[in-house]
Amino acid sequence: MQRRKFINRTTMGTAAMVAFPSIVPSSVFGKNAPSNKINIGQIGCGRIARDHDIHDTIRFDDARYVAVCDLDSNRAADAKVLVDKFYKEKTGKEKYMDTKIYEDYREMLLNKDIDAVVISTPDHWHSQPAMEAALAGKDIYVQKPTSLTIKEGQQLREAVQKTGAILQVGTQQRAMPQFRVAAELVRNGRIGKIHTVKIGLPGDPGGPEAPAMPVPSNLNFDMWLGSTPEVPYTEIGVHPQKGYSRPGWLRIRNYGAGMITGWGQHHYDSAAWGMNTELTGPISVEALAEFPKSGLWNVHGDFFVKHEYENGITVYTSGGYPNGIKYIGEDGWIFVSRGSYTASASDPVDKEKSSKALNASDPKILDSVIGANETHLYKIDDQHGNWLECIKTRKAPISPIEKGHKACAICLISDIAMQFDRKLEWDNEKEMFINDNEANAMLHRTQRKPYGTDYVKV
């Protein structure tokens, strides 16, 4: 939606404003005054929202959840209960918070008293609400992958840069100390010049055939599909109607690309941190992948991807490697993973293979101290906390849109390469394949009106 439309619509009838004050400097009312709270609206109230994003944001005193939004009214109602219960237990007051429920996030964005939004929607609904939130003057925390296509990511980057919104991408591995330590050791030459990086990333299994079902009365399925093609509803193609286990949309190409984007953005982002390639990317990509021959789920299964970089580093990615990142240099190697951490209870983690969070060819490498004059990377304790702090200071967060888009682009061109039996050359500046119209045609997808980033005016 255009900024002018937001201004016109939000300045009509200021008497209808909700009862939460705008943020003013802390010096006016004191450090813990209500006016210092960052009023937050939650867009998408599923598994990741409940287990991760709401949980990891609401616990900060700076944050105050005031609204939740979901196209499934049952999930929106559950989220309201979750938020209201948190504040009741925290304050001891029965009616401290009466969280407002929205179905359409665009109505939420019209609420002038909401300062920021957390976007925990399916992948195909990341870029558009993030763009519109930026245009509405909101700051944004958006789950990865940053976008469904390269063009969507470019459009979101442009919107954020033009508006000055603080956008944090949910690549929370940057807040895990072992990933920063590994990147610092590599950047400071502790394993010599690196030449190879191996990334372990699982694939997804195929699934059953899924007959069409009646759309539940609690779900706005047309808007849930958004910019993607209109298809019949089936429960395992969306999310469970009972409970919050891993949803089926994660395994359908209409809505994402599978694990190459689902977890790939985490690992490619972390690898780029150590390789010092956060604002660039590979110069070529080639891939092999298996895809289901039947059933509703159709994202990649077992796969192998190779990226070549201008600085001479080659990156290999496969489910055959332990889940994590292995930097290999002339003088040794460093391996880093999440250890036993999971973002939600249904994350597909093989804990035995990823239990070692940080390892090296020589244990002494890990004891090395980074000197005062060496490279020290952005250090935080929490991804959501860093976002809230940057909203107040207006400093760049640890995972800004520029880096988030580049990490997502690696995932997306890898997915495209899986569709071709040839090596693809990639131009990082123009963000397009070199002399390959067929591959370039996949940098964007046709969007179903009225949804999609193509219909948002920046």
Side-chain angles (χ1 to χ4, degrees), residues 18-24 29 34-37 39 64 113 115:
V18 294
F20 297 106
S22 300
I23 296 176
V24 295
F29 295 109
S35 55
N36 293 324
K37 301 290 186 182
N39 291 334
R64 177 169 52 195
D113 290 300
D115 305 299

Side-chain angles (χ1 to χ4, degrees), residues 263-411:
W263 271 15
Q265 183 160 348
H266 284 301
H267 285 351
Y268 286 130
D269 177 69
S270 295
W273 212 10
M275 293 160 56
N276 194 19
T277 57
E278 297 167 275
L279 294 176
T280 179
I283 58 174
S284 72
V285 56
E286 49 191 318
L288 297 171
E290 293 182 355
F291 289 89
K293 294 180 173 59
S294 63
L296 181 68
W297 294 338
N298 58 1
V299 297
H300 71 84
D302 289 341
F303 73 101
F304 184 85
V305 180
K306 176 184 177 182
H307 299 101
E308 295 176 318
Y309 282 74
E310 193 170 15
N311 60 9
I313 298 173
T314 302
V315 179
Y316 300 101
T317 309
S318 173
Y321 301 133
N323 194 333
I325 302 161
K326 186 174 185 178
Y327 301 98
I328 305 173
E330 295 174 343
D331 301 327
W333 56 262
I334 293 173
F335 174 79
V336 61
S337 78
R338 293 187 179 189
S340 59
Y341 167 88
T342 58
S344 76
S346 57
D347 274 0
V349 179
D350 184 337
K351 292 186 178 180
E352 290 186 4
K353 289 186 178 179
S354 58
S355 59
K356 189 76 172 180
L358 190 60
N359 202 359
S361 53
D362 183 347
K364 293 180 181 178
I365 294 173
L366 305 181
D367 295 329
S368 177
V369 176
I370 307 301
N373 296 323
E374 293 188 287
T375 298
H376 290 259
L377 300 177
Y378 199 146
K379 182 180 179 180
I380 65 170
D381 295 321
D382 185 274
Q383 194 83 356
H384 297 81
N386 173 246
W387 174 58
L388 294 169
E389 180 65 26
C390 290
I391 288 175
K392 295 186 296 182
T393 64
R394 310 313 293 175
K395 294 181 180 179
I398 197 168
S399 299
I401 182 58
E402 294 81 7
K403 295 177 182 179
H405 170 63
K406 286 296 187 182
C408 185
I410 300 172
C411 307

